[in-house]
Amino acid sequence: MTKKSLFFSIALTCFFFVTSAVLNKQISKPPIKIEKQMSAINFQDSFYRLLFAGYKRMVADLLWIATLLESDLSHYKKKDLNNWMFLRFKSITDLDPKFLHAYSFGGQYLNIIKDDVEGAAYLFDKGLSYYPNNYSLNFNGGYLYAFELAEYDRAVKLYERIRHHPSAPKFIDSLIAKLKYEETGDLKTTFNVLKEMLKNESRDTLLIEKLKKDLYSIKATIDLECLNTINDSSCSRLDYKGQPYVLRDDEFTTQEPFSPYKLYTKKKGGLKIVPHSFLIFKKLS
């Protein structure tokens, strides 16, 4: 190879290298997003028990921290107890069966954020087997069984355990009475229960924000139906955030967009969505 051709080859290589570097900076590549459900690593519980036999609580604490840091908001649609967060909470509570916060927080997170009601029921039941009189487990577990699974007998048993607890809300007796008659298609009752859950939640920001969205949705649904059908002094004219409802095209609506809440009731053959006048309730995503 002559000096001239060598120089030309080096120059051409440099040209392509610089061009590649410039294009790499200027062309935005589509982000590759892998759902946590697909990327999360979970081991069999027997693996943890055998490998860390003398350090179970320490491993449970490490798994707990890792799970909180990696937690996501994606709903889990399947009913196979294979949600990655459920599997983590299960491993944590197998390693440390007395980990109370893993039951109370885990059950709430799976129910409210992940929509994994089967996983939440498992955690609440497991927690209650160790802490049968714990207020948080009974109250939040009662909500799950009453308003998500329509298992009223189970919900009544949980609520009755705490009806005389100092933290129990004043409406708990009327709630128990309604559940005994299998009446949960009541948005006002749902609002009161969620409001009580919010009052007792002081740690997790995601749970607090989700509860506030649901409360906003329920109050707006109740108020707008009143304003658009009755429109008298009994109707509230302020939403959950204290903002006035507005009149658009001869119909009252909210200043912020919202999705109506979804209620379930029991019927032969399973659950059904309860229609409320002109609306079908759909839970906020």
Side-chain angles (χ1 to χ4, degrees), residues 97-116:
K98 295 296 184 73
F99 201 148
L100 174 59
H101 195 49
Y103 297 120
S104 59
F105 173 82
Q108 265 197 296
Y109 198 95
L110 291 178
N111 180 25
I112 296 172
I113 303 294
K114 300 288 288 183
D115 274 353
D116 182 4

Side-chain angles (χ1 to χ4, degrees), residues 144-153 184 264-266 271:
L144 171 73
Y145 279 105
F147 296 91
E148 299 287 358
L149 296 171
E151 295 184 21
Y152 306 125
D153 291 340
T184 58
Y264 292 99
T265 188
K266 189 184 290 184
L271 301 178

Side-chain angles (χ1 to χ4, degrees), residues 115-162:
D115 274 353
D116 182 4
V117 293
E118 285 77 14
Y122 177 94
L123 272 187
F124 281 132
D125 288 346
K126 187 176 180 181
L128 286 165
S129 69
Y130 291 98
Y131 300 98
N133 298 314
N134 179 266
Y135 177 80
S136 176
L137 291 177
N138 280 286
F139 189 85
N140 295 326
Y143 172 82
L144 171 73
Y145 279 105
F147 296 91
E148 299 287 358
L149 296 171
E151 295 184 21
Y152 306 125
D153 291 340
R154 176 65 172 151
V156 166
K157 289 177 182 178
L158 298 185
Y159 282 132
E160 283 187 331
R161 285 181 187 173
I162 55 171

Side-chain angles (χ1 to χ4, degrees), residues 184-192 218 221-222 261 263 276 281:
T184 58
D186 179 355
L187 279 180
K188 291 183 179 179
T189 300
T190 310
F191 182 85
N192 287 333
I218 294 172
T221 302
I222 295 171
Y261 198 82
L263 288 176
H276 192 67
F281 297 112

Side-chain angles (χ1 to χ4, degrees), residues 70-130:
E70 298 171 6
S71 59
D72 66 342
L73 305 177
S74 300
H75 290 183
Y76 191 72
K77 304 297 183 184
K78 298 179 182 179
K79 302 180 184 298
D80 56 1
L81 293 178
N82 199 40
N83 171 12
W84 80 270
M85 287 195 71
F86 164 73
L87 294 174
R88 285 283 184 87
F89 290 134
K90 182 178 181 300
S91 294
I92 290 166
T93 55
D94 282 347
L95 289 166
D96 185 1
K98 295 296 184 73
F99 201 148
L100 174 59
H101 195 49
Y103 297 120
S104 59
F105 173 82
Q108 265 197 296
Y109 198 95
L110 291 178
N111 180 25
I112 296 172
I113 303 294
K114 300 288 288 183
D115 274 353
D116 182 4
V117 293
E118 285 77 14
Y122 177 94
L123 272 187
F124 281 132
D125 288 346
K126 187 176 180 181
L128 286 165
S129 69
Y130 291 98

Side-chain angles (χ1 to χ4, degrees), residues 9 62 84 99 106 132 135 197 240:
S9 297
L62 292 174
W84 80 270
F99 201 148
Y135 177 80
M197 289 169 66
Y240 182 71

